[in-house]
């Protein structure tokens, strides 16, 4: 069983920044991908940022491109999400997720963290 533990959420004013961290209980490189998803009340969960191990590529949701950055610390099995120029519409629960033990083409996470709340006020 793999555990993903997020931290770093909180409340911030619009235009501010936050850094989310996710520590895994095993190597994040042992599978297809790792990334961040978010869900606001009454909406479906959406992709925020993904890192694909096969080609070291990154994918971002359209609404966060240019403002958010995903990065990995392999030595510490940690994935980060740096969020800048935050907007109220960025509010929601942010989930760390990873597809481990599988190497498919698309990112289909089989492990999820418990989520961390991000609230951006105007």
């Amino acid at each position: 069983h793999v555990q993903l533990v997020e931290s770093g959420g909180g409340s911030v004013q619009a235009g501010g920044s936050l850094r989310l961290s996710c520590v895994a209980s095993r190597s994040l490189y042992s599978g297809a991908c790792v990334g961040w998803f978010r869900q606001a009340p009454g909406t479906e969960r959406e992709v925020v940022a993904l890192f694909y191990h096969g080609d070291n590529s990154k994918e971002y949701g359209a609404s966060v491109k240019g403002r958010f950055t995903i990065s990995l610390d392999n030595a510490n099995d940690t994935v980060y999400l740096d969020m800048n120029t935050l907007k109220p519409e960025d509010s929601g629960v942010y989930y760390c997720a990873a597809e481990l033990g599988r190497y498919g083409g698309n990112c289909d996470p089989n492990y999820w963290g418990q989520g961390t709340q991000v609230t951006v006020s105007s």
Side-chain angles (χ1 to χ4, degrees):
H1 180 67
V2 178
Q3 286 189 316
L4 302 175
V5 180
E6 303 105 332
S7 62
S11 297
V12 65
Q13 289 194 324
S17 299
L18 283 174
R19 171 176 252 204
L20 304 184
S21 301
C22 172
V23 180
S25 60
R26 71 183 247 197
S27 173
L28 289 169
Y29 266 88
S30 59
C33 64
V34 61
W36 294 91
F37 296 74
R38 70 185 180 191
Q39 187 169 22
T43 69
E44 293 187 356
R45 189 156 52 192
E46 63 175 342
V47 171
V48 175
L50 300 174
F51 180 89
Y52 292 89
H53 299 310
D55 59 2
N56 290 330
S57 63
K58 300 177 183 180
E59 175 185 327
Y60 293 95
S63 63
V64 308
K65 277 183 182 177
R67 299 187 297 121
F68 290 13
T69 303
I70 185 172
S71 60
L72 271 70
D73 178 351
N74 302 327
N76 293 298
D77 299 325
T78 302
V79 59
Y80 299 101
L81 183 68
D82 289 296
M83 306 186 293
N84 297 309
T85 319
L86 282 160
K87 304 175 181 180
E89 51 264 43
D90 293 319
S91 298
V93 179
Y94 282 68
Y95 298 91
C96 173
E99 182 172 3
L100 301 177
R102 305 188 310 214
Y103 296 89
N106 296 321
C107 190
D108 183 18
N110 51 351
Y111 293 99
W112 294 83
Q114 80 286 355
T116 185
Q117 178 71 44
V118 171
T119 302
V120 184
S121 58
S122 57

